[in-house]
Amino acid sequence: MAEDLAATWGALLKVHAALVPRFDRELQETHGLPLTWYDVLLELNAAPDRRLTMGQLGSVAAVSRTRVSRVVDELVKAGLVVRAPNPDDGRSAFAALTPAGRAALRKAAPTYVAAVHREFADHLTAHEAEVLAAALRKVLAANANKLQRP
């Protein structure tokens, strides 16, 4: 059992290490968007009013908390995101999606979705995908309050 778990964990790490650079390269070559930018734009697009505080964004984005501020700075410079003061908390600011950011996300989405299918989902049966998704959600839920990235 322990060997199976170690092999499962190792396979998860190897899949991540193999696919993330491919997705990043394809998004950059096709749309000029690094995967980290795409991730932040995706999270902001899904958020209420298409904005999140930096703390919230650090909690939901795949990019590390320490990198999220730098990624937002890059997105601001590119005109895809703006920083806005948080009227409820003067110590924090919102990162908000601009119309140009939403347009860039919409343009890149088909490329990203196609890559996810081609490189990942097409290699799984529907049942395997359901089981994998349920298992990963279970692990995330169990660690939700511990997933504070450095």
Side-chain angles (χ1 to χ4, degrees), residues 46-133:
D49 298 322
R50 293 191 179 88
R51 67 181 189 174
L52 292 168
T53 65
M54 296 303 292
Q56 291 168 326
L57 186 54
S59 294
V60 296
V63 64
S64 71
R65 279 184 181 264
T66 55
R67 257 191 96 208
V68 77
S69 183
R70 185 173 45 170
V71 171
V72 167
D73 287 343
E74 293 168 354
L75 288 164
V76 167
K77 192 180 226 182
L80 304 178
V81 169
V82 294
R83 286 186 189 259
N86 181 349
D88 298 327
D89 181 358
R91 298 170 295 154
S92 70
F94 286 107
L97 192 62
T98 66
R102 191 152 194 238
L105 179 65
R106 283 183 170 180
K107 188 175 178 185
T111 300
Y112 179 76
V113 170
V116 169
H117 279 279
R118 181 184 66 247
E119 303 290 342
F120 182 74
D122 288 352
H123 304 286
L124 301 172
T125 66
H127 177 70
E128 288 168 335
E130 289 171 17
V131 169
L132 181 58

Side-chain angles (χ1 to χ4, degrees), residues 8-22:
T8 301
W9 177 247
L12 178 64
L13 293 177
K14 288 176 184 175
V15 166
H16 182 271
L19 298 187
V20 166
R22 288 184 201 166

